[in-house]
Amino acid sequence: MSSLRGMTQPELSKKLYKLIKTQNSQIGHYENAARDTHSVASQLSEWGESTGDEAVSDISDKLGVLLAEIAEQEDLFSQNLEESRGILKQIRNTESSVQPSRNQKAKIQDEIQKLKYKEPESPKLVILEQELVRAEAQSLVAEAQLTNITRQKLKEAYDVQTAAIIERAEKQIMLAQHARRLVGLLDDTPIVPGEERPPFEDTEAAREILNDAEASLRGWAPSVEPIQSSGAKVGANLMPSHVGQAGAEEQAMRTAEERVHGGATSATGTSEVTHGTHEQVQHSSYQPEGVSAPYPTHETATA
């Protein structure tokens, strides 16, 4: 079914759809790794207890605790990856929404070319010209919104993802260092048959290492450099916040007329075309799918 959904995606969003689908599989692997690490931690503790060696039992039990915490970090990382993936979906949804405006413009252009070839004096050319201006204006609005959300959300998604990679790495390093301190407590001096090992005297030291590990995690703070963003300058309509929808449409209309008519006045008069097409754009404003609030500040994104 997922392959079928991929085939039915608009051409514009196919590549990002595939990337997001692959990310879903990637996240599943991290979730599996977290579950497996939890299982390994539990089995390590059980095995250590079964050896009948007091030192091995104590150390393996506490190592299991640290491994379980490493598994928790893996699970948290997969959640952050899912958040980043969700942000990319907003670009994909907008790409899907933009495709029809591209198709409509291409269709009208094709009709004009055919009519110019068959009936160059046809009065229908004027009507098609007006439709092309409207389609061009709508397409300009859609394309501007797409490029704005693409840059904004790509930046946001990989701000989240790279910060998550650094957090996971830093916390796992801390936990691994404490685990090495635990391992270092185990006396592995070889003995001869019949020789008794001295009692394990580092139970308190081992417990203190776990306390240190817990304190390290509590005291951890992000060390990433903030990524500067102009996302706060993007309005709810995915245009610069100082540009309203009407202003964006007027700008799109002027540009569309220049492109379609090449700066020349049409047979019906420029002002007539402008009035008619502007009204149409206002009534059929492009509204991208999945638009969310503007890209947050770094503090908001990493909270």
Side-chain angles (χ1 to χ4, degrees):
M1 288 300 292
S2 62
S3 298
L4 247 118
R5 283 197 298 271
M7 290 172 63
T8 57
Q9 286 289 310
E11 191 62 35
L12 185 58
S13 60
K14 277 185 177 178
K15 283 184 169 57
L16 191 53
Y17 173 87
K18 185 178 179 181
L19 183 152
I20 290 169
K21 185 172 179 291
T22 304
Q23 281 183 323
N24 190 44
S25 173
Q26 176 195 28
I27 291 166
H29 291 313
Y30 283 113
E31 290 171 342
N32 288 338
R35 283 192 293 270
D36 288 346
T37 304
H38 265 297
S39 179
V40 166
S42 176
Q43 290 174 39
L44 175 63
S45 178
E46 290 172 5
W47 167 79
E49 187 178 5
S50 72
T51 63
D53 185 321
E54 181 187 358
V56 169
S57 178
D58 193 58
I59 295 299
S60 63
D61 184 61
K62 289 177 173 58
L63 278 174
V65 172
L66 292 180
L67 285 178
E69 190 54 55
I70 288 173
E72 289 295 325
Q73 298 308 316
E74 204 76 353
D75 195 49
L76 176 62
F77 179 60
S78 69
Q79 292 172 34
N80 288 327
L81 285 185
E82 185 58 51
E83 181 186 348
S84 173
R85 178 172 174 264
I87 295 167
L88 289 180
K89 284 181 179 180
Q90 296 177 51
I91 304 175
R92 182 203 62 194
N93 293 343
T94 307
E95 286 180 339
S96 299
S97 299
V98 168
Q99 187 71 61
S101 71
R102 287 189 180 185
N103 295 345
Q104 177 65 10
K105 187 177 79 169
K107 179 183 175 183
I108 296 170
Q109 287 172 329
D110 191 46
E111 288 178 10
I112 288 174
Q113 291 305 313
K114 286 179 181 177
L115 196 57
K116 279 183 176 179
Y117 179 74
K118 291 180 180 178
E119 302 176 57
E121 302 301 323
S122 172
K124 191 181 176 185
L125 277 172
V126 176
I127 298 170
L128 286 174
E129 241 183 33
Q130 293 176 2
E131 289 182 6
L132 183 58
V133 171
R134 287 192 293 271
E136 179 70 31
Q138 290 173 13
S139 180
L140 283 169
V141 172
E143 297 292 347
Q145 289 173 319
L146 176 59
T147 188
N148 289 343
I149 198 171
T150 296
R151 291 184 176 226
Q152 174 191 333
K153 295 303 177 183
L154 179 65
K155 204 168 186 178
E156 183 182 352
Y158 282 91
D159 183 1
V160 171
Q161 186 170 142
T162 52
I165 291 170
I166 292 169
E167 177 180 352
R168 170 176 173 257
E170 290 179 348
K171 287 183 176 179
Q172 288 192 341
I173 286 171
M174 286 192 307
L175 291 166
Q177 286 172 337
H178 290 302
R180 288 177 65 81
R181 288 174 60 199
L182 266 178
V183 172
L185 294 178
L186 187 63
D187 179 13
D188 61 349
T189 304
I191 62 172
V192 297
E195 182 182 356
E196 292 288 331
R197 283 196 178 276
F200 184 57
E201 297 179 349
D202 289 318
T203 301
E204 285 302 317
R207 186 177 293 111
E208 190 58 36
I209 288 173
L210 285 189
N211 292 337
D212 290 347
E214 186 180 350
S216 296
L217 287 176
R218 279 201 311 268
W220 178 88
S223 63
V224 294
E225 287 291 326
I227 293 176
Q228 300 304 316
S229 170
S230 299
K233 298 178 182 177
V234 179
N237 63 346
L238 297 181
M239 295 291 177
S241 53
H242 68 277
V243 178
Q245 188 68 23
E249 289 167 356
E250 286 173 10
Q251 176 63 38
M253 185 58 58
R254 285 194 296 270
T255 306
E257 286 174 348
E258 287 171 6
R259 290 187 179 182
V260 174
H261 301 304
T265 304
S266 72
T268 58
T270 304
S271 60
E272 182 184 341
V273 175
T274 302
H275 175 75
T277 51
H278 181 57
E279 186 180 353
Q280 286 293 328
V281 173
Q282 284 183 317
H283 283 82
S284 58
S285 302
Y286 168 69
Q287 293 296 329
E289 237 179 271
V291 173
S292 68
Y295 174 45
T297 62
H298 174 77
E299 288 77 11
T300 305
T302 56

